[in-house]
Amino acid sequence: MNEKTSKYGDKEKARQLRREMTTAEVVLWKYLRRGGVGYRFRRQHPIGPYVLDFYCYKLNLCIELDGEAHQKPMADVYDKIRTDYINKEGITVLRFSNDVVFNNVDAILDCIKHYAENPVLMEGWHKDELL
């Protein structure tokens, strides 16, 4: 470990990603910030070798948004490895496509509220059918 990394990951990379959020991340952050869904979320939170799009410490919940980068070849393999690592840290991962953010953000907020009422460690979960 060096001055940029800790057991939680690369803090400088997380800072950079906060400055360069995608449009979908900016939209969802407007709803999550300042406890907008009843729970405090952090954006671009480092965990080990990864930076989570959004993380709620109290719920041990990660929200990941899948944009164009997730359409590339082998992206599903990388996402599985990443999700498995995050799950081993005791964190549930909920994945949503950018289309859901733009077309049905209320469904994402409902999923977060549902999870908060029924917290259970779930393997990576993807809800594209929310459109």
Side-chain angles (χ1 to χ4, degrees), residues 2 4-6 8-15 44 46-51:
N2 61 38
K4 288 183 4 182
T5 61
S6 70
Y8 299 109
D10 190 335
K11 292 179 181 181
E12 187 55 41
K13 180 179 179 183
R15 286 185 190 109
Q44 307 303 339
I47 295 285
Y50 303 108
V51 178

Side-chain angles (χ1 to χ4, degrees), residues 47-63:
I47 295 285
Y50 303 108
V51 178
L52 312 180
D53 290 343
F54 301 99
Y55 175 64
C56 177
Y57 176 79
K58 187 170 184 176
L59 296 174
N60 250 355
L61 178 65
C62 166
I63 306 296

